mmCIF file of all heavy atoms in Angstrom:
data_model
loop_
_atom_site.group_PDB
_atom_site.id
_atom_site.type_symbol
_atom_site.label_atom_id
_atom_site.label_comp_id
_atom_site.label_asym_id
_atom_site.label_seq_id
_atom_site.Cartn_x
_atom_site.Cartn_y
_atom_site.Cartn_z
ATOM 1 N N TYR A 691 5.590 0.967 -30.499
ATOM 2 C CA TYR A 691 4.157 1.174 -30.566
ATOM 3 C C TYR A 691 3.976 2.573 -31.193
ATOM 4 O O TYR A 691 4.886 3.420 -31.139
ATOM 5 C CB TYR A 691 3.521 1.129 -29.199
ATOM 6 C CG TYR A 691 4.121 2.079 -28.212
ATOM 7 C CD1 TYR A 691 3.646 3.389 -28.134
ATOM 8 C CD2 TYR A 691 5.165 1.741 -27.385
ATOM 9 C CE1 TYR A 691 4.114 4.303 -27.283
ATOM 10 C CE2 TYR A 691 5.695 2.582 -26.477
ATOM 11 C CZ TYR A 691 5.197 3.891 -26.414
ATOM 12 O OH TYR A 691 5.710 4.799 -25.590
ATOM 13 N N GLN A 692 2.890 2.760 -31.773
ATOM 14 C CA GLN A 692 2.642 4.072 -32.359
ATOM 15 C C GLN A 692 1.243 4.520 -32.115
ATOM 16 O O GLN A 692 0.307 4.158 -32.835
ATOM 17 C CB GLN A 692 2.931 4.005 -33.831
ATOM 18 C CG GLN A 692 3.239 5.324 -34.413
ATOM 19 C CD GLN A 692 4.053 5.258 -35.641
ATOM 20 O OE1 GLN A 692 4.359 4.203 -36.159
ATOM 21 N NE2 GLN A 692 4.452 6.454 -36.164
ATOM 22 N N ARG A 693 1.106 5.273 -31.005
ATOM 23 C CA ARG A 693 -0.257 5.708 -30.665
ATOM 24 C C ARG A 693 -0.733 6.789 -31.595
ATOM 25 O O ARG A 693 -1.938 6.994 -31.738
ATOM 26 C CB ARG A 693 -0.317 6.218 -29.230
ATOM 27 C CG ARG A 693 0.202 5.285 -28.258
ATOM 28 C CD ARG A 693 0.889 6.175 -27.238
ATOM 29 N NE ARG A 693 1.087 5.423 -25.980
ATOM 30 C CZ ARG A 693 1.900 5.912 -25.055
ATOM 31 N NH1 ARG A 693 2.466 7.030 -25.183
ATOM 32 N NH2 ARG A 693 2.066 5.215 -23.957
ATOM 33 N N MET A 694 0.210 7.540 -32.115
ATOM 34 C CA MET A 694 -0.171 8.723 -32.796
ATOM 35 C C MET A 694 -0.494 8.454 -34.250
ATOM 36 O O MET A 694 -0.654 9.420 -35.039
ATOM 37 C CB MET A 694 0.961 9.831 -32.700
ATOM 38 C CG MET A 694 1.163 10.223 -31.270
ATOM 39 S SD MET A 694 -0.306 11.018 -30.649
ATOM 40 C CE MET A 694 -0.313 12.466 -31.584
ATOM 41 N N TYR A 695 -0.482 7.163 -34.668
ATOM 42 C CA TYR A 695 -0.595 6.903 -36.104
ATOM 43 C C TYR A 695 -1.920 7.528 -36.659
ATOM 44 O O TYR A 695 -2.998 7.142 -36.214
ATOM 45 C CB TYR A 695 -0.637 5.407 -36.292
ATOM 46 C CG TYR A 695 -0.513 4.977 -37.710
ATOM 47 C CD1 TYR A 695 0.487 5.355 -38.565
ATOM 48 C CD2 TYR A 695 -1.574 4.270 -38.279
ATOM 49 C CE1 TYR A 695 0.581 5.009 -39.856
ATOM 50 C CE2 TYR A 695 -1.593 3.925 -39.629
ATOM 51 C CZ TYR A 695 -0.504 4.335 -40.399
ATOM 52 O OH TYR A 695 -0.492 3.960 -41.669
ATOM 53 N N TYR A 696 -1.735 8.408 -37.566
ATOM 54 C CA TYR A 696 -2.838 9.079 -38.260
ATOM 55 C C TYR A 696 -3.709 9.920 -37.370
ATOM 56 O O TYR A 696 -4.791 10.352 -37.831
ATOM 57 C CB TYR A 696 -3.645 8.057 -39.039
ATOM 58 C CG TYR A 696 -3.407 8.175 -40.480
ATOM 59 C CD1 TYR A 696 -2.186 7.823 -41.036
ATOM 60 C CD2 TYR A 696 -4.372 8.776 -41.373
ATOM 61 C CE1 TYR A 696 -1.896 8.048 -42.370
ATOM 62 C CE2 TYR A 696 -4.149 9.006 -42.696
ATOM 63 C CZ TYR A 696 -2.869 8.591 -43.182
ATOM 64 O OH TYR A 696 -2.609 8.764 -44.475
ATOM 65 N N VAL A 697 -3.378 10.106 -36.194
ATOM 66 C CA VAL A 697 -4.203 10.827 -35.227
ATOM 67 C C VAL A 697 -4.358 12.274 -35.702
ATOM 68 O O VAL A 697 -5.431 12.858 -35.791
ATOM 69 C CB VAL A 697 -3.647 10.808 -33.791
ATOM 70 C CG1 VAL A 697 -4.286 11.885 -32.974
ATOM 71 C CG2 VAL A 697 -3.956 9.447 -33.190
ATOM 72 N N PHE A 698 -3.259 12.873 -36.079
ATOM 73 C CA PHE A 698 -3.284 14.256 -36.430
ATOM 74 C C PHE A 698 -4.064 14.515 -37.786
ATOM 75 O O PHE A 698 -4.855 15.404 -37.813
ATOM 76 C CB PHE A 698 -1.839 14.808 -36.615
ATOM 77 C CG PHE A 698 -1.703 16.260 -36.642
ATOM 78 C CD1 PHE A 698 -2.025 17.051 -35.531
ATOM 79 C CD2 PHE A 698 -1.334 16.930 -37.832
ATOM 80 C CE1 PHE A 698 -1.921 18.378 -35.609
ATOM 81 C CE2 PHE A 698 -1.272 18.296 -37.846
ATOM 82 C CZ PHE A 698 -1.564 19.019 -36.739
ATOM 83 N N MET A 699 -3.825 13.605 -38.642
ATOM 84 C CA MET A 699 -4.558 13.725 -39.938
ATOM 85 C C MET A 699 -6.029 13.582 -39.708
ATOM 86 O O MET A 699 -6.806 14.299 -40.307
ATOM 87 C CB MET A 699 -4.098 12.704 -40.937
ATOM 88 C CG MET A 699 -2.932 13.143 -41.810
ATOM 89 S SD MET A 699 -1.444 13.060 -40.904
ATOM 90 C CE MET A 699 -0.704 11.616 -41.592
ATOM 91 N N GLN A 700 -6.330 12.585 -38.898
ATOM 92 C CA GLN A 700 -7.783 12.341 -38.674
ATOM 93 C C GLN A 700 -8.380 13.584 -37.957
ATOM 94 O O GLN A 700 -9.523 13.938 -38.355
ATOM 95 C CB GLN A 700 -7.850 11.106 -37.740
ATOM 96 C CG GLN A 700 -9.229 10.545 -37.798
ATOM 97 C CD GLN A 700 -9.510 9.641 -36.604
ATOM 98 O OE1 GLN A 700 -8.871 9.853 -35.567
ATOM 99 N NE2 GLN A 700 -10.431 8.715 -36.786
ATOM 100 N N MET A 701 -7.622 14.195 -37.086
ATOM 101 C CA MET A 701 -8.202 15.374 -36.436
ATOM 102 C C MET A 701 -8.412 16.450 -37.447
ATOM 103 O O MET A 701 -9.497 17.170 -37.378
ATOM 104 C CB MET A 701 -7.252 15.858 -35.340
ATOM 105 C CG MET A 701 -7.779 16.917 -34.479
ATOM 106 S SD MET A 701 -6.549 17.551 -33.409
ATOM 107 C CE MET A 701 -5.627 18.611 -34.492
ATOM 108 N N LEU A 702 -7.486 16.634 -38.311
ATOM 109 C CA LEU A 702 -7.623 17.702 -39.275
ATOM 110 C C LEU A 702 -8.724 17.454 -40.311
ATOM 111 O O LEU A 702 -9.186 18.344 -40.943
ATOM 112 C CB LEU A 702 -6.273 17.925 -40.072
ATOM 113 C CG LEU A 702 -5.138 18.527 -39.179
ATOM 114 C CD1 LEU A 702 -3.980 18.852 -40.140
ATOM 115 C CD2 LEU A 702 -5.611 19.740 -38.487
ATOM 116 N N SER A 703 -9.099 16.171 -40.416
ATOM 117 C CA SER A 703 -10.129 15.929 -41.356
ATOM 118 C C SER A 703 -11.515 16.219 -40.758
ATOM 119 O O SER A 703 -12.572 16.094 -41.443
ATOM 120 C CB SER A 703 -10.080 14.410 -41.745
ATOM 121 O OG SER A 703 -10.424 13.612 -40.643
ATOM 122 N N SER A 704 -11.519 16.640 -39.566
ATOM 123 C CA SER A 704 -12.832 16.891 -38.912
ATOM 124 C C SER A 704 -13.117 18.396 -38.886
ATOM 125 O O SER A 704 -12.353 19.151 -38.412
ATOM 126 C CB SER A 704 -12.762 16.310 -37.444
ATOM 127 O OG SER A 704 -13.614 17.008 -36.655
ATOM 128 N N GLY A 705 -14.249 18.755 -39.400
ATOM 129 C CA GLY A 705 -14.671 20.125 -39.427
ATOM 130 C C GLY A 705 -14.782 20.768 -38.057
ATOM 131 O O GLY A 705 -14.204 21.832 -37.732
ATOM 132 N N PRO A 706 -15.445 20.173 -37.165
ATOM 133 C CA PRO A 706 -15.623 20.725 -35.817
ATOM 134 C C PRO A 706 -14.312 20.956 -35.126
ATOM 135 O O PRO A 706 -14.143 21.912 -34.408
ATOM 136 C CB PRO A 706 -16.498 19.736 -35.096
ATOM 137 C CG PRO A 706 -17.252 19.037 -36.151
ATOM 138 C CD PRO A 706 -16.391 18.953 -37.329
ATOM 139 N N ALA A 707 -13.359 20.044 -35.363
ATOM 140 C CA ALA A 707 -12.042 20.268 -34.752
ATOM 141 C C ALA A 707 -11.457 21.533 -35.245
ATOM 142 O O ALA A 707 -10.886 22.298 -34.409
ATOM 143 C CB ALA A 707 -11.158 19.050 -35.095
ATOM 144 N N TRP A 708 -11.538 21.859 -36.526
ATOM 145 C CA TRP A 708 -11.026 23.106 -37.016
ATOM 146 C C TRP A 708 -11.706 24.293 -36.351
ATOM 147 O O TRP A 708 -11.063 25.175 -35.859
ATOM 148 C CB TRP A 708 -11.209 23.167 -38.539
ATOM 149 C CG TRP A 708 -10.241 22.478 -39.316
ATOM 150 C CD1 TRP A 708 -10.274 21.135 -39.666
ATOM 151 C CD2 TRP A 708 -9.069 22.949 -39.852
ATOM 152 N NE1 TRP A 708 -9.155 20.778 -40.412
ATOM 153 C CE2 TRP A 708 -8.418 21.907 -40.504
ATOM 154 C CE3 TRP A 708 -8.397 24.214 -39.856
ATOM 155 C CZ2 TRP A 708 -7.172 22.080 -41.160
ATOM 156 C CZ3 TRP A 708 -7.248 24.391 -40.485
ATOM 157 C CH2 TRP A 708 -6.596 23.291 -41.143
ATOM 158 N N LEU A 709 -12.997 24.199 -36.429
ATOM 159 C CA LEU A 709 -13.761 25.316 -35.850
ATOM 160 C C LEU A 709 -13.433 25.433 -34.332
ATOM 161 O O LEU A 709 -13.295 26.542 -33.824
ATOM 162 C CB LEU A 709 -15.237 25.087 -35.982
ATOM 163 C CG LEU A 709 -15.698 25.181 -37.469
ATOM 164 C CD1 LEU A 709 -17.196 24.829 -37.519
ATOM 165 C CD2 LEU A 709 -15.506 26.567 -38.004
ATOM 166 N N GLY A 710 -13.307 24.266 -33.668
ATOM 167 C CA GLY A 710 -13.029 24.335 -32.305
ATOM 168 C C GLY A 710 -11.635 24.960 -31.979
ATOM 169 O O GLY A 710 -11.472 25.787 -31.057
ATOM 170 N N ILE A 711 -10.663 24.626 -32.790
ATOM 171 C CA ILE A 711 -9.329 25.120 -32.647
ATOM 172 C C ILE A 711 -9.358 26.672 -32.727
ATOM 173 O O ILE A 711 -8.847 27.360 -31.892
ATOM 174 C CB ILE A 711 -8.358 24.521 -33.671
ATOM 175 C CG1 ILE A 711 -8.093 23.051 -33.280
ATOM 176 C CG2 ILE A 711 -7.075 25.311 -33.738
ATOM 177 C CD1 ILE A 711 -7.355 22.302 -34.374
ATOM 178 N N ILE A 712 -10.020 27.112 -33.834
ATOM 179 C CA ILE A 712 -10.046 28.573 -33.957
ATOM 180 C C ILE A 712 -10.736 29.256 -32.832
ATOM 181 O O ILE A 712 -10.241 30.229 -32.328
ATOM 182 C CB ILE A 712 -10.762 28.910 -35.315
ATOM 183 C CG1 ILE A 712 -9.943 28.315 -36.480
ATOM 184 C CG2 ILE A 712 -10.954 30.369 -35.498
ATOM 185 C CD1 ILE A 712 -10.799 28.139 -37.706
ATOM 186 N N LEU A 713 -11.814 28.667 -32.423
ATOM 187 C CA LEU A 713 -12.638 29.310 -31.338
ATOM 188 C C LEU A 713 -11.785 29.336 -30.085
ATOM 189 O O LEU A 713 -11.722 30.360 -29.402
ATOM 190 C CB LEU A 713 -13.896 28.453 -31.130
ATOM 191 C CG LEU A 713 -14.732 28.970 -30.006
ATOM 192 C CD1 LEU A 713 -15.560 30.111 -30.511
ATOM 193 C CD2 LEU A 713 -15.589 27.889 -29.439
ATOM 194 N N LEU A 714 -11.149 28.204 -29.781
ATOM 195 C CA LEU A 714 -10.404 28.157 -28.499
ATOM 196 C C LEU A 714 -9.221 29.115 -28.513
ATOM 197 O O LEU A 714 -8.970 29.802 -27.535
ATOM 198 C CB LEU A 714 -9.988 26.750 -28.213
ATOM 199 C CG LEU A 714 -11.045 25.735 -28.047
ATOM 200 C CD1 LEU A 714 -10.529 24.388 -27.738
ATOM 201 C CD2 LEU A 714 -11.976 26.205 -26.890
ATOM 202 N N ILE A 715 -8.547 29.226 -29.610
ATOM 203 C CA ILE A 715 -7.444 30.163 -29.718
ATOM 204 C C ILE A 715 -7.932 31.582 -29.477
ATOM 205 O O ILE A 715 -7.418 32.308 -28.733
ATOM 206 C CB ILE A 715 -6.718 30.062 -31.059
ATOM 207 C CG1 ILE A 715 -5.977 28.703 -31.168
ATOM 208 C CG2 ILE A 715 -5.729 31.150 -31.213
ATOM 209 C CD1 ILE A 715 -5.440 28.509 -32.549
ATOM 210 N N THR A 716 -9.035 31.881 -30.101
ATOM 211 C CA THR A 716 -9.598 33.250 -29.963
ATOM 212 C C THR A 716 -9.943 33.525 -28.521
ATOM 213 O O THR A 716 -9.576 34.555 -27.991
ATOM 214 C CB THR A 716 -10.900 33.326 -30.854
ATOM 215 O OG1 THR A 716 -10.593 32.838 -32.148
ATOM 216 C CG2 THR A 716 -11.313 34.760 -30.924
ATOM 217 N N VAL A 717 -10.692 32.561 -27.968
ATOM 218 C CA VAL A 717 -11.185 32.799 -26.593
ATOM 219 C C VAL A 717 -10.001 32.933 -25.614
ATOM 220 O O VAL A 717 -9.959 33.781 -24.766
ATOM 221 C CB VAL A 717 -12.067 31.679 -26.123
ATOM 222 C CG1 VAL A 717 -12.370 31.792 -24.649
ATOM 223 C CG2 VAL A 717 -13.298 31.678 -26.957
ATOM 224 N N SER A 718 -8.953 32.097 -25.804
ATOM 225 C CA SER A 718 -7.831 32.215 -24.847
ATOM 226 C C SER A 718 -7.014 33.412 -25.019
ATOM 227 O O SER A 718 -6.427 33.908 -24.071
ATOM 228 C CB SER A 718 -6.993 30.958 -24.926
ATOM 229 O OG SER A 718 -6.752 30.615 -26.265
ATOM 230 N N LEU A 719 -7.039 34.002 -26.238
ATOM 231 C CA LEU A 719 -6.300 35.267 -26.396
ATOM 232 C C LEU A 719 -7.084 36.422 -26.015
ATOM 233 O O LEU A 719 -6.535 37.537 -25.821
ATOM 234 C CB LEU A 719 -5.750 35.331 -27.831
ATOM 235 C CG LEU A 719 -4.676 34.384 -28.229
ATOM 236 C CD1 LEU A 719 -4.311 34.573 -29.667
ATOM 237 C CD2 LEU A 719 -3.400 34.710 -27.384
#
Side-chain angles (χ1 to χ4, degrees):
Chain A
Y691 58 87
Q692 202 156 2
R693 305 145 164 169
M694 295 300 291
Y695 187 63
Y696 251 70
V697 161
F698 194 67
M699 269 78 103
Q700 199 200 23
M701 187 187 78
L702 291 188
S703 68
S704 152
W708 279 87
L709 292 174
I711 288 171
I712 296 160
L713 178 81
L714 295 182
I715 293 173
T716 312
V717 172
S718 43
L719 288 176

